[in-house]
Amino acid sequence: MLTAQPRPTSLISGAVKHQVLAGKSCWFRPRVSGRRAVVRAVISSGDSKAAGVGTADKKTVGASSSSSSGGVNVRAVITIRKKMKERLTDKIEDQWESIINGIGRGILIQLISEAIDPGTNSGKSVESFVRGWLPKVSNSPYVVEYGVDLLVPRDFGQPGAIVVTNFHDKEFFLMEIVVHGFSNGPIFFRADTWIHSRKDNPESRIVFKNQACLPSQTPPGIKDLRDEDLVSLRGSGEGERELHERVYDYDIYNDLGNPDKGGGGDLVRPVLGTEERPYPRRCRTGRPPTISDPNTETRIEKPNPVYVPRDETFEEIKQRTFSAGRLRALFHNLIPLMVATLASSDVPFTNFSDIDKLYNDGVVLEEQDQKETKRQQVVANVLNQIFNLGDKLLKYDVPAIIRSDRFAWLRDNEFARQALAGVNPVNIELLKELPITSKLDPAIYGPPESAITRELIAKELNGVSVEEAIKQKKLFILDYHDMLLPFIEKMNALPDRKAYASRTIFYYADTGLLRPIVIELSLPPTPSSPRNKRIFTHGHDATTHWIWKLAKAHVCSNDAGVHQLVNHWLKTHASMEPYIIATHRQLSSMHPVYKLLHPHMRYTMEINALARQNLISGGGVIEVCFSPGKYAMEISSAAYKSLWRFDMEALPADLLRRGMGVEDPTVPGGVKLVIEDYPYAADGLLIWSAIKELVESYVEHYYYEPDSISLDVELQAWWNEIKNEGHYDKRNETWWPNLKTQDDLSGILSTMIWTASSQHAAINFGQYPFGGYPPNRPTLMRKLIPREGNKGNGRPRYLINALCR
């Protein structure tokens, strides 16, 4: 799952380009209609790059050419992007659209003034159809430009919005409109939006001038349009959404299961977003309920798309990049499954060299296997997008973790390093006191005290006392005990899955190296074993040596699951979606906060919808590949209930909470790290500081008046909706920040931007480099650790069978 940024545009080159175009006479004179189109819906890009271009004022237009009637001729240049991969029918339709535009019946634009027309009590307006038999081709073969001439009264004032009506039979992608001929130079209306056909929706669309303004600063001529835009984006909350719509609304996670499919209820999944299983809200699709369960929404299966608002869908380039990248990152544990299914051997891995062959030599597929692959659409797509697939060769890229050292993953120092600099460097905490105790109900889960004692730790400290190690901040813990233990019994009842709840203690030596010293693996208590905990430490004989590595593998498997279900999906995807929905519902695209947030939120809703369809759904990739199986999203919900807090999602607050830093106002981010060589935190604090500095400056620029934040009706509605609707199950928590001052707003926005950008990057883009080699980060384990004396106990063959079967 990826979140990407839109490509920045150059406004300078755009301005120069359109000044040149404005001087050309390659378009027909428009035929101006006397009627004004009914305005029902409004849209604008969130691109803040051009903020300030075409400053609004009360000047009249400056005549580049005047008509005999006293009006002024202005020209609008409309930039449209065509599809990159077109079918023959699309090309024929494009030719037909060119004809329709040529005769002036395809696209109607209406220029709306910031000034009020006393006769209509709304913004002054002029309109014209796009005309021109052949559009001008830009530097890109997929981008075309049309021109529209308009006759504007001299008292028209400055334009603030443009209404666009699409009379074609299909939608088109409007990149921008630039208006030339006004006294202060070209005026930019950045769009980056799909304009639906009137055939699908009779409402027109509006693009606002690319200039940010608060609600109280909205020019009178476009104030009603600003309000009506938001009403349109919110929708009615009823009916099933259509793919061309751009309605943002909330719903619970009731579309993960499919009770109508399969026998025995294998795909029945609980609803998330209830009192029992709280969760953030997702985008509402309005699909009907299933036949078997009225509380579960019917599912849309691939290749059919799940609804997201039209402008949240991927562009064509992003679609291809995402399709390959997300599968490569997440499907690494399917190696054994793929090879077992497609290769000639029924037992794919007998030693680690067999795994290495996947990257070095590839696996030869039998002829019959290839035919079977073609018949299985899902497998075929996976193979085409992940592997370098020739006629008979299945081959992976070499992951970074084994590229220079095949055995680095086996070593303790690498195991510890990845807790600080791997794909999941956000769970390690300072061990502040002993004994370690659980917060779970002892009546159900047994005695709360950990089996990790002072004596066990002391044996691994080379003469340093435990008290001194704690005082000097030398002991750290990776603790997944309370998160996982309530689910272990159910997980271990699933076929080919065995897991423990784990705790791992690390010691930070004076040499500057972190190393694991004790691992505790726990199972739920039984009548015969009320304290079902096992302790593992370093050993020197062969058996103890390999059992220690088995214990580390179980820890890595837990870490991989928590990383994916909690730190990645929950915290940087699911929890972000309410921010995105509220931003579109409550903040006009003219609002400075909308413009600041929009680039960081782009594509997230589409990624989340695809995840609900294929990754986190019943029988999806996460359930197939990770230890929790069908209980995966219940664990994610439990983590949201017990762990997620908005005020702890900021990097400095998180580091302080985990004890990985102490407050120090003299360093970036105001946090001094306990371990200096903590790359995620050290680099992250520099990035956090840059984000915070930018946001603070931005907020000060727009909210310079006293009480301007408290009086911003859109902003207050936005924050209230995030708390009370988007995160409904957390609405009564006392830790939600207030929103009254510049510092309040800066902190909230910095946290959102950090989460969507840097935090997501830190825990997303290392998935294949670290996880592409399954022994380094096994996403599930198939065997428990054998007791001493068992045959085959602790040998490498047992380890690889536990990892890969």
Side-chain angles (χ1 to χ4, degrees):
M1 293 173 279
L2 309 174
T3 300
Q5 304 294 333
R7 185 178 64 185
T9 56
S10 170
L11 294 176
I12 297 177
S13 62
V16 171
K17 174 181 69 176
H18 287 286
Q19 286 171 351
V20 173
L21 287 171
K24 296 183 179 180
S25 301
C26 55
W27 295 284
F28 291 89
R29 292 253 330 156
R31 184 172 63 187
V32 181
S33 170
R35 69 174 178 82
R36 175 169 176 177
V38 177
V39 179
R40 297 295 303 279
V42 189
I43 188 171
S44 169
S45 164
D47 189 350
S48 61
K49 302 287 186 182
V53 176
T55 305
D57 57 30
K58 298 299 181 183
K59 296 178 182 177
T60 58
V61 294
S64 56
S65 61
S66 300
S67 69
S68 58
S69 62
V72 176
N73 289 319
V74 299
R75 173 169 292 153
V77 178
I78 301 172
T79 304
I80 294 173
R81 189 181 68 225
K82 300 192 301 180
K83 291 182 179 179
M84 293 181 179
K85 296 180 70 174
E86 291 187 308
R87 298 167 299 178
L88 178 60
T89 54
D90 292 327
K91 293 179 180 179
I92 295 173
E93 288 176 354
D94 284 345
Q95 295 300 317
W96 174 248
E97 288 180 1
S98 295
I99 295 173
I100 297 300
N101 287 335
I103 63 176
R105 284 296 179 269
I107 303 172
L108 176 69
I109 75 164
Q110 186 178 21
L111 197 63
I112 309 296
S113 172
E114 294 177 346
I116 288 287
D117 182 345
T120 63
N121 203 31
S122 59
K124 300 175 182 178
S125 67
V126 294
E127 66 181 35
S128 178
F129 276 92
V130 170
R131 301 191 65 163
W133 292 102
L134 293 174
K136 177 177 175 58
V137 179
S138 71
N139 294 331
S140 169
Y142 307 109
V143 175
V144 296
E145 293 166 344
Y146 290 94
V148 181
D149 292 326
L150 299 122
L151 185 63
V152 178
R154 288 188 172 276
D155 63 350
F156 186 79
Q158 289 292 306
I162 297 178
V163 177
V164 182
T165 308
N166 176 13
F167 287 91
H168 292 296
D169 287 338
K170 66 177 185 179
E171 65 184 2
F172 64 85
F173 189 82
L174 177 63
M175 297 178 68
E176 69 175 353
I177 301 174
V178 183
V179 180
H180 304 270
F182 286 87
S183 59
N184 56 350
I187 301 175
F188 289 79
F189 296 78
R190 190 71 189 179
D192 285 332
T193 183
W194 289 96
I195 305 296
H196 61 259
S197 168
R198 278 179 60 90
K199 182 178 178 181
D200 294 322
N201 185 346
E203 296 177 349
S204 300
R205 297 280 299 281
I206 289 185
V207 180
F208 288 110
K209 182 165 65 175
N210 194 16
Q211 179 177 349
C213 67
L214 299 175
S216 60
Q217 300 166 343
T218 308
I222 60 173
K223 190 177 187 308
D224 288 345
L225 299 183
R226 177 172 183 151
D227 296 337
E228 197 163 353
D229 175 29
L230 293 174
V231 172
S232 175
L233 286 165
R234 293 168 195 154
S236 64
E238 299 178 354
E240 184 172 355
R241 298 270 66 86
E242 301 290 339
L243 294 178
H244 66 268
E245 294 180 320
R246 46 191 289 270
V247 173
Y248 296 78
D249 202 357
Y250 300 98
D251 208 343
I252 55 180
Y253 277 72
N254 61 350
D255 62 342
L256 301 179
N258 191 350
D260 292 344
K261 183 178 180 181
D266 288 344
L267 295 179
V268 173
R269 296 295 180 270
V271 172
L272 304 186
T274 63
E275 184 176 353
E276 181 183 0
R277 296 183 179 92
Y279 218 61
R281 295 305 186 255
R282 63 169 175 92
C283 181
R284 180 184 176 275
T285 64
R287 297 193 300 268
T290 60
I291 297 172
S292 305
D293 181 3
N295 295 317
T296 298
E297 187 175 88
T298 51
R299 290 183 47 75
I300 298 291
E301 304 293 349
K302 276 289 193 180
N304 300 309
V306 177
Y307 169 80
V308 293
R310 185 64 180 96
D311 290 333
E312 302 294 334
T313 58
F314 291 152
E315 296 177 12
E316 288 178 272
I317 292 177
K318 174 64 179 174
Q319 176 65 55
R320 291 199 294 269
T321 302
F322 176 80
S323 295
R326 73 187 175 98
L327 292 171
R328 182 184 298 275
L330 289 174
F331 282 15
H332 67 266
N333 200 62
L334 286 178
I335 296 174
L337 177 61
M338 293 294 183
V339 177
T341 302
L342 303 177
S344 57
S345 172
D346 291 331
V347 182
F349 299 132
T350 59
N351 53 58
F352 291 107
S353 295
D354 287 348
I355 300 178
D356 294 341
K357 289 178 182 178
L358 288 169
Y359 315 103
N360 300 326
D361 304 327
V363 175
V364 177
L365 306 182
E366 296 295 320
E367 188 69 28
Q368 183 63 34
D369 297 325
Q370 296 179 66
K371 293 178 181 178
E372 182 67 21
T373 298
K374 293 177 182 177
R375 289 198 296 266
Q376 296 182 23
Q377 181 75 33
V378 174
V379 176
N381 288 339
V382 169
L383 295 175
N384 287 334
Q385 296 184 65
I386 300 180
F387 309 113
N388 301 315
L389 185 61
D391 290 338
K392 293 186 177 183
L393 188 65
L394 181 65
K395 189 176 180 181
Y396 267 78
D397 291 340
V398 179
I401 187 63
I402 59 168
R403 194 171 296 155
S404 58
D405 185 347
R406 285 179 55 204
F407 301 106
W409 64 277
L410 278 169
R411 301 187 183 104
D412 286 352
N413 61 346
E414 177 62 22
F415 175 84
R417 186 188 74 85
Q418 290 185 33
L420 298 172
V423 71
N424 189 41
V426 297
N427 280 106
I428 188 169
E429 300 184 17
L430 181 71
L431 181 60
K432 299 176 182 178
E433 61 182 7
L434 290 171
I436 303 166
T437 57
S438 170
K439 297 180 181 178
L440 298 175
D441 185 352
I444 300 174
Y445 300 105
E449 295 81 9
S450 169
I452 300 175
T453 63
R454 290 176 180 269
E455 292 73 23
L456 282 170
I457 294 175
K459 291 178 182 179
E460 305 293 332
L461 299 187
N462 299 322
V464 178
S465 70
V466 174
E467 290 73 16
E468 189 65 22
I470 291 176
K471 181 179 179 181
Q472 294 183 4
K473 294 181 170 53
K474 297 288 188 180
L475 292 176
F476 298 86
I477 185 170
L478 197 60
D479 192 347
Y480 298 134
H481 180 277
D482 286 9
M483 187 187 302
L484 297 180
L485 190 61
F487 298 92
I488 292 296
E489 185 174 3
K490 294 189 290 186
M491 289 163 54
N492 288 346
L494 298 172
D496 285 329
R497 288 160 202 259
K498 298 299 176 185
Y500 299 92
S502 62
R503 291 187 177 108
T504 308
I505 305 298
F506 298 86
Y507 177 62
Y508 184 61
D510 292 337
T511 58
L513 292 178
L514 187 71
R515 62 183 177 90
I517 58 174
V518 183
I519 293 175
E520 176 193 76
L521 299 180
S522 301
L523 295 172
T526 63
S528 61
S529 182
R531 190 176 177 84
N532 213 348
K533 305 175 188 295
R534 295 181 64 185
I535 294 295
F536 302 89
T537 58
H538 299 266
H540 301 290
D541 61 273
T543 297
T544 309
H545 172 79
W546 282 104
I547 283 185
W548 170 251
K549 297 191 183 306
L550 269 170
K552 289 194 299 179
H554 274 280
V555 173
C556 287
S557 178
N558 287 346
D559 191 69
V562 172
H563 161 258
Q564 198 64 263
L565 294 169
V566 180
N567 299 325
H568 186 193
W569 165 253
L570 170 63
K571 291 190 174 184
T572 68
H573 283 271
S575 292
M576 282 294 302
E577 189 155 347
Y579 311 155
I580 301 168
I581 296 173
T583 296
H584 285 276
R585 286 169 54 87
Q586 299 298 341
L587 298 180
S588 166
S589 56
M590 303 173 68
H591 199 289
V593 170
Y594 177 98
K595 291 183 178 292
L596 178 66
L597 290 179
H598 182 261
H600 302 284
M601 295 178 168
R602 195 176 184 191
Y603 300 135
T604 299
M605 290 183 69
E606 170 83 341
I607 294 170
N608 290 1
L610 290 171
R612 297 199 313 274
Q613 189 175 41
N614 291 321
L615 299 180
I616 64 172
S617 57
V621 173
I622 298 295
E623 290 193 1
V624 170
C625 297
F626 289 79
S627 289
K630 67 180 183 179
Y631 305 107
M633 291 304 292
E634 292 184 55
I635 291 177
S636 188
S637 170
Y640 178 71
K641 182 176 184 177
S642 62
L643 299 176
W644 189 86
R645 291 179 49 156
F646 181 87
D647 61 330
M648 291 291 111
E649 294 303 294
L651 177 61
D654 175 60
L655 292 172
L656 294 173
R657 178 190 64 81
R658 291 190 283 125
M660 300 303 293
V662 294
E663 291 190 67
D664 185 346
T666 66
V667 298
V671 175
K672 182 179 180 180
L673 296 176
V674 172
I675 298 177
E676 284 189 31
D677 188 15
Y678 187 3
Y680 158 78
D683 294 347
L685 285 169
L686 295 175
I687 298 171
W688 168 268
S689 298
I691 292 172
K692 190 73 179 299
E693 183 178 351
L694 169 69
V695 171
E696 287 174 344
S697 177
Y698 191 87
V699 168
E700 288 173 5
H701 176 77
Y702 286 102
Y703 291 97
Y704 51 85
E705 295 287 348
D707 299 325
S708 55
I709 290 176
S710 297
L711 297 176
D712 186 335
V713 292
E714 287 184 6
L715 188 69
Q716 293 298 326
W718 168 76
W719 185 234
N720 286 332
E721 184 166 294
I722 287 172
K723 295 184 296 182
N724 296 315
E725 293 192 48
H727 285 275
Y728 178 84
D729 300 323
K730 295 275 189 176
R731 65 193 182 282
N732 295 322
E733 300 289 353
T734 58
W735 41 253
W736 285 104
N738 293 318
L739 182 52
K740 297 179 180 178
T741 67
Q742 290 182 350
D743 287 343
D744 294 340
L745 180 56
S746 296
I748 290 168
L749 296 178
S750 297
T751 298
M752 290 180 178
I753 293 172
W754 160 261
T755 302
S757 57
S758 304
Q759 177 74 348
H760 179 265
I763 59 179
N764 176 73
F765 294 112
Q767 288 185 91
Y768 191 79
F770 288 101
Y773 186 66
N776 181 61
R777 283 186 69 77
T779 55
L780 62 83
M781 298 292 289
R782 302 185 185 276
K783 294 179 181 291
L784 296 176
I785 298 177
R787 297 284 178 176
E788 292 184 15
N790 285 11
K791 188 176 180 180
N793 173 357
R795 299 304 181 186
R797 179 65 179 272
Y798 190 96
L799 174 58
I800 198 166
N801 287 341
L803 290 169
C804 305
R805 190 166 58 89

